[in-house]
């Protein structure tokens, strides 16, 4: 089946630094989603991308839908302690197809 | 108001027992899901129901049986629990139209199942 690989698997950064993470797939998707999961909670949607090449921002977060439709990137600028959590990418093909989640990137921010 | 709620939040039980997890959404969505998150935090879909009809049934042992009494509820019953069933189970809901996902999936807070 489809697999979404995220990198890095985990990262420690200093508060104020920018963060980049990416997600690659062995097959194409029509929609890319980025979620954040806080400890003990369910994932919450951060950004949704619907077109190849699309670049979308949500506050300090910026995500891009790769032109090949097989990858996506998430950037967080000027990180703060509450950015700590696990970030998941997810791909959706459409037509009652399931949402496939990535392996996750665990982010730790050092104050 | 809680959008997607699950009960219980924690469930500790012995191997071989049968248990149920309940999920309710008050968002008016027509599609509900069950996901399993393992110890490595990998999220994998188990089931999806649209208007009480089973849409997605991933390769899940038939010890797992979802039941949707109405659009707002999707319960998960697990028979003969095994050690490997220990995980966090998330319920989610979304709105779809003609198979197209119209909005994000809203997740519940999760149920941590521990099988001893």
């Amino acid at each position: 089946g489809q697999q979404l690989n995220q990198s890095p698997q985990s990262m420690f950064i200093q508060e104020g630094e920018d963060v980049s993470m990416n997600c690659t797939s062995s097959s194409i998707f029509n929609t890319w989603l980025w979620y954040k999961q806080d400890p003990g909670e369910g994932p919450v949607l951060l950004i949704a991308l619907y077109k190849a090449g699309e670049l979308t921002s949500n506050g300090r977060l910026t995500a891009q839908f790769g032109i090949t439709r097989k990858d996506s990137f998430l950037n967080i600028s000027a990180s703060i302690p509450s950015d700590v959590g696990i970030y998941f990418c997810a791909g959706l093909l459409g037509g009652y197809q399931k949402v496939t989640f990535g392996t996750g990137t665990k982010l730790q921010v050092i104050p | 108001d809680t959008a997607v709620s699950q009960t219980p939040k924690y469930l500790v039980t012995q191997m071989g027992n049968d248990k149920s997890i309940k999920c309710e959404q008050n968002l008016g969505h027509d599609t509900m899901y069950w996901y399993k998150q393992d110890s490595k935090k990998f999220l994998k879909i188990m089931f999806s129901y649209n208007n009480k009809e089973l849409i997605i049934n991933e390769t899940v042992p038939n010890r797992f049986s979802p039941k949707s009494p109405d659009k707002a509820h999707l319960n998960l019953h697990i028979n003969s629990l095994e050690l490997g069933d220990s995980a966090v189970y998330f319920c989610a809901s979304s709105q779809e139209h003609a198979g197209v996902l119209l909005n994000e999936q809203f997740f519940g807070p999760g149920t941590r199942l521990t099988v001893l």
Side-chain angles (χ1 to χ4, degrees), chain A:
Chain A
Q2 294 169 340
Q3 283 196 358
L4 297 185
N5 295 308
Q6 284 185 243
S7 65
Q9 191 174 11
S10 65
M11 52 197 316
F12 284 81
I13 59 166
Q14 291 281 347
E15 184 177 354
E17 285 182 353
D18 296 343
V19 174
S20 288
M21 58 189 80
N22 66 63
C23 185
T24 56
S25 168
S26 56
S27 51
I28 63 172
F29 287 103
N30 292 328
T31 301
W32 282 94
L33 309 168
W34 283 94
Y35 285 85
K36 183 192 177 203
Q37 185 179 19
D38 289 329
E41 312 228 348
V44 174
L45 185 71
L46 299 173
I47 292 181
L49 302 157
Y50 300 103
K51 250 170 54 171
E54 180 182 352
L55 187 73
T56 297
S57 292
N58 178 7
R60 295 179 295 106
L61 276 60
T62 302
Q64 183 158 28
F65 191 142
I67 202 76
T68 64
R69 294 164 65 197
K70 289 186 179 182
D71 55 10
S72 181
F73 307 88
L74 176 70
N75 295 318
I76 305 173
S77 62
S79 58
I80 58 179
S82 63
D83 290 335
V84 163
I86 303 177
Y87 291 79
F88 289 99
C89 65
L92 178 66
L93 204 49
Y96 284 126
Q97 293 297 309
K98 62 182 183 287
V99 176
T100 301
F101 278 82
T103 48
T105 293
K106 186 173 183 179
L107 177 64
Q108 310 260 43
V109 178
I110 304 166

Side-chain angles (χ1 to χ4, degrees), chain B residues 45-114:
Chain B
I45 192 165
M46 300 172 69
F47 301 102
S48 164
Y49 269 73
N50 176 264
N51 281 316
K52 301 193 299 173
E53 185 182 333
L54 182 65
I55 298 296
I56 293 171
N57 184 352
E58 285 295 286
T59 309
V60 176
N62 57 15
R63 297 182 294 106
F64 290 79
S65 52
K67 284 192 173 44
S68 182
D70 55 58
K71 271 186 3 175
H73 295 85
L74 181 63
N75 303 323
L76 183 66
H77 188 76
I78 316 170
N79 287 329
S80 303
L81 278 156
E82 300 178 358
L83 294 176
D85 297 333
S86 295
V88 181
Y89 292 84
F90 286 100
C91 176
S93 74
S94 67
Q95 186 66 25
E96 297 195 4
H97 176 70
V100 177
L101 189 66
L102 293 183
N103 63 5
E104 63 183 283
Q105 289 182 347
F106 287 81
F107 282 79
T111 295
R112 182 176 291 277
L113 171 65
T114 303

